[in-house]
Amino acid sequence: MKILVTGGLGFIGSHAVVELLDDDYEVVVIDNLYNSSIDVIDNIKKITGKEFSFYQNDVCDLDALEKIFSEHKIDAVMHFAGYKAVGESVEKPILYYENNLLSTLHLCKKMIEHCCFKLIFSSSATVYGNPKVLPITEDCKVGSTTNPYGTTKWMNEKILKDITVANSNFTVIVLRYFNPIGAHKSGLIGEKPNGIPNNLMPYIVRVATGELEMLNIFGNDYDTPDGTGVRDYIHVVDLAKGHLKALEKAISSRGIYYYNLGTGIGYSVLDLVDNFEKVNHVKVPYRIIGRREGDIASCYADPSRAYKELDWKAELGLEDMMKDSYNFILKQKKG
């Protein structure tokens, strides 16, 4: 089978490409390098020893998509491409709505034109907004989002549901991620955002290496055990493996399905800092500043549906996430 991976050089997409190649799928990647690096291509090949096709294009570009679908018989698509920072989405809502919605619309248009009806969609726990109950199940209310990033994911889910209603052949597996961190054990691929990081773990590791002076923690007055925000952190390799399980489901199913991908365990920001320091024997200086617009107090998953229906569950723990995140950034600095 030949799988198109949009955003396949990004943090999660690159790990999914590794898992696909290791499982002997043929892979085609499209990535515009907005928040990724061309070096990832060689690093994926070093890890897997396998080749794949790459197109440096934007998924919003219909002509670029037409070229890919014309040159390859694509059997299924994993759609990772999109802007993903909560804080940035509050500052630049038009950028997020335009990119995240248009990319999905254009991708689905070309998929249908070329009779490709299997899509794994990269959604987010942000679609649940500020949850009324914890842990969060897939049956919890969606749509009361607290930031434009989350709203684009919710709107994309609505678009994809309508597409599956209108096209009985179309199958979508919606994967609602919680908080992916970590890196491949090789240290060759991981989260390396361009510029100042918007997400917590890349910021922590850059403070640990001295690249950044101090970690800003946004608020310590939430209704949580230590006052800082609580999230469900999942190792990116576990997350990538969940996509292969979702692909198996898509191949044998019709319609739209929703799955939480998380560990079911919530850790606070200070938990993360403390564990990082202990595991890696390094200090991470931090300061508490005001809450960030769009953030919520607590968010963690009930991942039992994915276990029952996809035969998937997270295997790697917080210590693995801390070690692998730091190992990746140290290797990047060396080389």
Side-chain angles (χ1 to χ4, degrees), residues 20-229:
L20 286 166
L21 291 171
D22 281 346
D23 235 25
D24 294 326
Y25 288 96
E26 293 183 77
V27 176
V28 179
V29 169
I30 177 172
D31 197 303
N32 65 0
L33 304 184
Y34 174 83
N35 199 28
S36 58
S37 168
I38 197 72
D39 300 341
V40 175
I41 294 176
D42 287 339
N43 289 336
I44 290 173
K45 291 177 180 179
K46 285 177 187 176
I47 292 169
T48 64
K50 295 179 181 177
E51 298 289 325
F52 60 94
S53 301
F54 173 67
Y55 293 78
Q56 186 177 335
N57 294 108
D58 196 308
V59 184
C60 295
D61 185 341
L62 279 169
D63 291 338
L65 290 174
E66 175 62 32
K67 178 178 173 63
I68 291 171
F69 279 97
S70 296
E71 292 181 354
H72 302 272
K73 177 64 178 74
I74 303 296
D75 296 295
V77 179
M78 289 186 182
H79 182 28
F80 297 97
Y83 300 152
K84 64 175 187 174
V86 168
E88 184 183 56
S89 78
V90 174
E91 297 168 3
K92 302 175 181 178
I94 293 175
L95 180 72
Y96 272 67
Y97 285 114
E98 183 177 53
N99 180 80
N100 290 5
L101 297 179
L102 198 60
S103 60
T104 300
L105 288 166
H106 283 184
L107 175 64
C108 289
K109 180 178 180 179
K110 287 300 171 185
M111 286 178 67
I112 292 167
E113 286 178 3
H114 290 269
C115 298
C116 176
F117 298 120
K118 307 295 184 182
L119 175 66
I120 314 301
F121 177 65
S122 172
S123 192
S124 164
T126 54
V127 300
Y128 296 113
N130 198 347
K132 300 290 189 294
V133 295
L134 292 169
I136 298 169
T137 72
E138 292 85 352
D139 296 323
C140 288
K141 181 183 176 183
V142 297
S144 299
T145 48
T146 61
N147 55 76
Y149 164 72
T151 306
T152 66
K153 291 298 186 182
W154 172 63
M155 292 173 74
N156 269 320
E157 287 192 12
K158 287 174 66 67
I159 289 166
L160 293 171
K161 183 176 182 180
D162 289 341
I163 290 172
T164 61
V165 170
N167 299 268
S168 60
N169 290 325
F170 211 92
T171 301
V172 179
I173 310 296
V174 174
L175 299 179
R176 293 170 176 164
Y177 309 159
F178 281 69
N179 288 67
I181 59 175
H184 194 270
K185 277 220 174 293
S186 66
L188 290 171
I189 57 173
E191 189 168 14
K192 190 182 178 184
N194 296 327
I196 300 296
N198 282 290
N199 294 329
L200 178 60
M201 184 50 66
Y203 212 108
I204 287 175
V205 295
R206 279 160 177 74
V207 172
T209 60
E211 185 179 335
L212 295 173
E213 179 184 1
M214 189 170 296
L215 173 68
N216 291 325
I217 295 178
F218 297 100
N220 66 343
D221 57 351
Y222 287 105
D223 184 17
T224 62
D226 63 22
T228 64

Side-chain angles (χ1 to χ4, degrees), residues 235-247:
H235 198 295
V236 65
V237 172
D238 279 331
L239 190 65
K241 290 178 178 178
H243 287 75
L244 270 68
K245 292 291 189 179
L247 179 59

Side-chain angles (χ1 to χ4, degrees), residues 245 248 304-313 315:
K245 292 291 189 179
E248 293 172 12
S304 58
R305 181 186 289 182
Y307 179 64
K308 291 173 186 173
E309 298 184 14
L310 301 181
D311 190 30
W312 173 90
K313 65 177 179 179
E315 302 285 352

